[in-house]
Amino acid sequence: MDNIARENNFNEQSMTNIVLEAPVQAQVKGDAKSFRKYGLLSLVFAIVYTFCLYKNKSGITYPIFMAITFGLIYAVRKSDDLPFLKDKNGKVGLNLFYVISLFLLSVTKCMFTSYSIQWLSGLAIFLLFFSFIMQLYIDTTGWDIVGWLGGIMLTMVRPFANIAWPFQDFALFVKERGSETSKEKKNAIMAVLIGLIVAVPLLAVVVSLLVSADAVFSRILEKVFEGIHLPDNFGDFVGIVLTLCISFICAYIIPNSLYKKKIGIGPAKQGNTNPLIAITFTVLLGLVYLLFCLIQVLFLFTGSMTLPAGYTYASYAHEGFYQLLAVCLINVALVSVCSRMFAKNKLLTCILSIIGICTYIMIASSAMRMILYIGAYTLTFLRLFVLWFLCVLSLWLAYLIIGLYKSDFPVFKAAMVTITVAYLAFAFANPDYQIAKYDLAHADMSDDTSTYGSVERYIVYNLSLDAIPAIKTNEDLLSEYKDNIYFDQWEINYAGSIRKFNYSYWRAEKVFEEEK
């Protein structure tokens, strides 16, 4: 009986293997059903993207584009029988946050003209949009920052392996629809196409021979082609066509690829590397950090020690700031890597917590150094952004420390939400306006050669039209700003176009009209 059972099991396994290993029949390239679902929606997206954003990244059409894009995503999800905002676990909260944040970020694009804000908002939109798309199609439970960044990268790059899909799907779609056309008509169309393809090289050879054979014929052709001129905006025509094609392909293959395939990144797992390795080098680092932090407490914070000869507080603060900022970033990365790579260990967790506390002291030292430097040399966008970044970094570090003790805490999601909200607050506060207001309030206006002169030059040549409300009462500075900056920016970026309407440009126009 045992032998019979084994034989039956063997036969069942053999049959199973045959089924699994049976040669797969060659599939027809293309998917007409996918083209019916994604083709028209992708074309609409391409047209909307090109109309709204082609050479226009700071106009009123940006939030319009974003709103229409959400509508198209809703249509794509509905065509796949999927809910609009629910993720793979049926939750809505994070995706709703993405939608609100992306729309607010798109509003910053048409409200401000600061190059830095425009660039940062564009980067934030890019990263958040792909995070949103990935969150809709992939279960991201338990992912850490490495998983998220890898997932975003694959969401952007991997679909381009399927770049032929729209063309293959369209060909099959046309072929299926063409089955309703009479055979004679299809043969006629095909014959005409073949004839045109053959005619092009033949005409090129024949015309070149005739031109060299007869001077009159050559002159007539020259006159004909002399009357054909490429339009002045021919480059824009090519750019618009390329933008349409690229945006159509992206809109087609990205959701299609995510719907059909999974991105191979799983949740972060606790590492199993010997924690003694991490304990060894973190203890040594921790001792150095403790000594450094002791110096900061005694010297920079309390001022109980004297500066080295030849140093001022401003030069001391500026000299060490960027090195200290780099160490803070290294420590944040160190805590992230150690918590991911090495096996769980109470001593290692304790040491990493101490390093985190030391990092907080370094962040405070960095902030104090920057504040001292600002007090001596006024405020710039970079200095203000650095202070903002230090605040964000301290919150991120807090999430990492919580994650050391609570393994299921969503460190990256918490950090991402915090950074997004903090950036929105930073952008809507209008940094250029705040900088100009602060510098003018703290500059010595009676001394044109030093503080006030440098502030005036910085405002005129470095700040955008966002700063206009802060200088509109200063007639001399406003006039200088207008003569040096305003007309160039207005002509290039606004020029009265409704499509390129920007609130900051409009406000500047009103201020200059009042000045007249």
Side-chain angles (χ1 to χ4, degrees):
M1 291 296 292
D2 291 340
N3 291 335
I4 293 172
R6 289 193 193 97
E7 183 176 352
N8 289 336
N9 288 336
F10 175 79
N11 290 335
E12 289 175 1
Q13 292 173 5
S14 299
M15 289 299 293
T16 302
N17 290 334
I18 289 172
V19 172
L20 291 173
E21 297 175 5
V24 179
Q25 294 181 352
Q27 295 181 351
V28 178
K29 289 185 177 180
D31 184 353
K33 184 179 178 182
S34 290
F35 193 83
R36 291 190 190 95
K37 288 196 300 182
Y38 302 115
L40 180 60
L41 294 173
S42 299
L43 180 61
V44 172
F45 174 84
I47 293 171
V48 171
Y49 180 89
T50 304
F51 173 77
C52 293
L53 302 188
Y54 178 73
K55 288 189 174 181
N56 183 35
K57 297 297 191 295
S58 60
I60 190 65
T61 52
Y62 213 115
I64 295 172
F65 159 75
M66 191 62 68
I68 295 174
T69 299
F70 289 140
L72 292 173
I73 292 173
Y74 170 80
V76 168
R77 297 281 290 176
K78 187 176 181 180
S79 69
D80 288 329
D81 295 324
L82 296 170
F84 173 43
L85 289 180
K86 288 184 179 179
D87 60 17
K88 297 292 286 185
N89 296 315
K91 297 179 180 179
V92 176
L94 186 59
N95 288 332
L96 183 61
F97 171 80
Y98 279 128
V99 170
I100 295 172
S101 298
L102 284 167
F103 186 77
L104 290 175
L105 286 167
S106 69
V107 171
T108 66
K109 298 286 280 184
C110 68
M111 278 194 66
F112 305 106
T113 57
S114 166
Y115 173 80
S116 299
I117 292 296
Q118 288 289 328
W119 187 86
L120 289 169
S121 292
L123 177 63
I125 288 171
F126 184 79
L127 293 175
L128 280 183
F129 184 79
F130 277 99
S131 295
F132 172 50
I133 296 298
M134 182 179 67
Q135 177 76 11
L136 286 174
Y137 288 93
I138 300 167
D139 184 5
T140 59
T141 304
W143 283 23
D144 62 356
I145 185 172
V146 176
W148 273 90
L149 292 177
I152 291 171
M153 184 65 66
L154 286 177
T155 302
M156 291 188 294
V157 175
R158 186 171 179 177
F160 284 94
N162 309 313
I163 197 170
W165 278 4
F167 308 104
Q168 294 173 351
D169 295 351
F170 176 70
L172 189 60
F173 173 75
V174 171
K175 184 178 179 181
E176 288 187 359
R177 289 183 62 86
S179 61
E180 302 171 2
T181 308
S182 64
K183 185 177 180 181
E184 292 78 8
K185 187 179 287 186
K186 287 193 291 185
N187 288 338
I189 294 172
M190 186 60 68
V192 171
L193 290 175
I194 293 173
L196 290 173
I197 293 171
V198 173
V200 171
L202 280 177
L203 281 172
V205 173
V206 171
V207 169
S208 63
L209 291 173
L210 292 176
V211 165
S212 62
D214 191 291
V216 176
F217 180 73
S218 174
R219 182 60 183 161
I220 290 172
L221 283 183
E222 286 179 6
K223 289 184 177 180
V224 170
F225 284 102
E226 281 177 1
I228 300 175
H229 298 286
L230 292 176
D232 294 335
N233 59 347
F234 181 73
D236 285 334
F237 174 78
V238 174
I240 288 171
V241 171
L242 288 175
T243 303
L244 281 168
C245 293
I246 294 171
S247 55
F248 173 81
I249 292 171
C250 291
Y252 190 93
I253 63 176
I254 290 174
N256 201 358
S257 299
L258 288 170
Y259 178 68
K260 291 180 177 179
K261 297 183 177 181
K262 294 181 179 179
I263 293 180
I265 296 180
K269 297 180 180 178
Q270 181 64 48
N272 55 7
T273 307
N274 189 347
L276 188 59
I277 299 173
I279 291 170
T280 302
F281 68 78
T282 54
V283 164
L284 296 175
L285 283 173
L287 291 173
V288 174
Y289 290 157
L290 286 171
L291 176 61
F292 182 85
C293 290
L294 180 63
I295 294 173
Q296 302 307 296
V297 172
L298 293 176
F299 180 37
L300 189 63
F301 296 156
T302 64
S304 59
M305 296 174 66
T306 57
L307 285 168
Y311 272 82
T312 63
Y313 267 103
S315 60
Y316 170 76
H318 183 258
E319 182 183 71
F321 170 77
Y322 291 104
Q323 297 92 320
L324 199 53
L325 180 61
V327 173
C328 291
L329 291 172
I330 290 171
N331 290 347
V332 171
L334 180 69
V335 174
S336 300
V337 171
C338 288
S339 60
R340 178 185 175 95
M341 283 185 59
F342 296 94
K344 203 74 174 176
N345 183 277
K346 290 183 178 180
L347 179 58
L348 178 59
T349 300
C350 182
I351 296 170
L352 291 176
S353 300
I354 293 172
I355 289 177
I357 294 169
C358 291
T359 306
Y360 271 116
I361 296 175
M362 294 178 190
I363 290 173
S365 176
S366 300
M368 191 170 181
R369 288 166 186 261
M370 182 52 68
I371 291 170
L372 286 171
Y373 194 71
I374 290 170
Y377 297 103
T378 69
L379 191 61
T380 65
F381 184 91
L382 180 60
R383 294 164 195 168
L384 180 62
F385 181 77
V386 161
L387 290 176
W388 172 87
F389 180 76
L390 289 172
C391 293
V392 170
L393 191 65
S394 64
L395 292 172
W396 191 350
L397 181 60
Y399 298 145
L400 286 171
I401 293 174
I402 293 172
L404 291 174
Y405 296 92
K406 190 178 180 182
S407 57
D408 59 344
F409 181 76
V411 174
F412 179 77
K413 288 183 180 179
M416 182 268 296
V417 170
T418 299
I419 292 171
T420 302
V421 172
Y423 174 72
L424 285 169
F426 178 78
F428 279 106
N430 193 353
D432 280 11
Y433 165 76
Q434 302 295 344
I435 292 165
K437 182 180 177 181
Y438 176 91
D439 285 352
L440 289 173
H442 290 79
D444 184 2
M445 300 181 67
S446 62
D447 188 358
D448 291 341
T449 60
S450 59
T451 307
Y452 182 74
S454 64
V455 164
E456 187 179 64
R457 285 191 297 274
Y458 182 78
I459 291 174
V460 171
Y461 295 105
N462 295 93
L463 295 184
S464 68
L465 293 169
D466 299 343
I468 290 294
I471 64 174
K472 65 181 181 179
T473 57
N474 189 325
E475 293 182 3
D476 294 336
L477 183 57
L478 188 65
S479 178
E480 185 179 356
Y481 188 95
K482 181 180 178 180
D483 293 339
N484 285 277
I485 302 297
Y486 171 69
F487 285 115
D488 289 339
Q489 289 196 16
W490 185 268
E491 186 68 26
I492 295 171
N493 296 309
Y494 184 70
S497 169
I498 296 176
R499 190 176 76 97
K500 294 185 176 183
F501 175 83
N502 181 286
Y503 174 74
S504 183
Y505 287 120
W506 174 82
R507 181 178 56 194
E509 182 183 32
K510 296 299 180 184
V511 170
F512 289 127
E513 286 178 354
E514 291 174 2
E515 185 194 18
K516 294 177 183 177

